[in-house]
Amino acid sequence: MFRPRSETPRPTVAVMVEGRTIAVPAHASAAAAVLAAGFDSIRETAGGSARMPYCMMGVCFDCLAEIDGVPNRQSCMVEVRPAMQIRRQIGARRIDPAAG
């Protein structure tokens, strides 16, 4: 379903998605990296409903993920960087009471 076009070779960036290293095109979004890794969902709601990136332009918030340890990031709006850590967000968000 999602395949890179076979024009000229594009530079890639190695990122970690759920602990697996994958190569994605440079300048791709973190949401695109999760899709390229083959996951069925990028997050689950507190009620357990699976969600995938929908609009890919920062409007719908269905692409929330944990990026480099920071939860609730709109992954469609974050460009991949070398060694980026992307984790799917499962269930209700975690709140740190010490954060104030």
Side-chain angles (χ1 to χ4, degrees):
M1 181 170 164
F2 295 97
R3 290 183 295 248
R5 292 183 286 181
S6 61
E7 295 164 358
T8 58
R10 295 174 58 187
T12 60
V13 173
V15 298
M16 297 283 286
V17 178
E18 289 290 325
R20 297 187 315 201
T21 301
I22 65 162
V24 295
H27 308 292
S29 69
V34 173
L35 293 172
F39 286 97
D40 292 339
S41 66
I42 194 164
R43 72 178 185 101
E44 287 182 8
T45 65
S49 297
R51 295 287 190 260
M52 287 292 286
Y54 180 68
C55 72
M56 296 296 281
M57 60 183 191
V59 175
C60 73
F61 290 84
D62 273 340
C63 66
L64 294 179
E66 183 179 303
I67 299 175
D68 292 332
V70 180
N72 303 309
R73 299 284 310 271
Q74 283 181 279
S75 62
C76 71
M77 302 299 292
V78 178
E79 189 175 305
V80 292
R81 294 180 314 279
M84 176 182 272
Q85 303 274 330
I86 306 165
R87 297 193 61 81
R88 297 177 307 137
Q89 193 160 295
I90 306 299
R93 69 183 189 146
R94 294 175 302 280
I95 299 174
D96 181 5

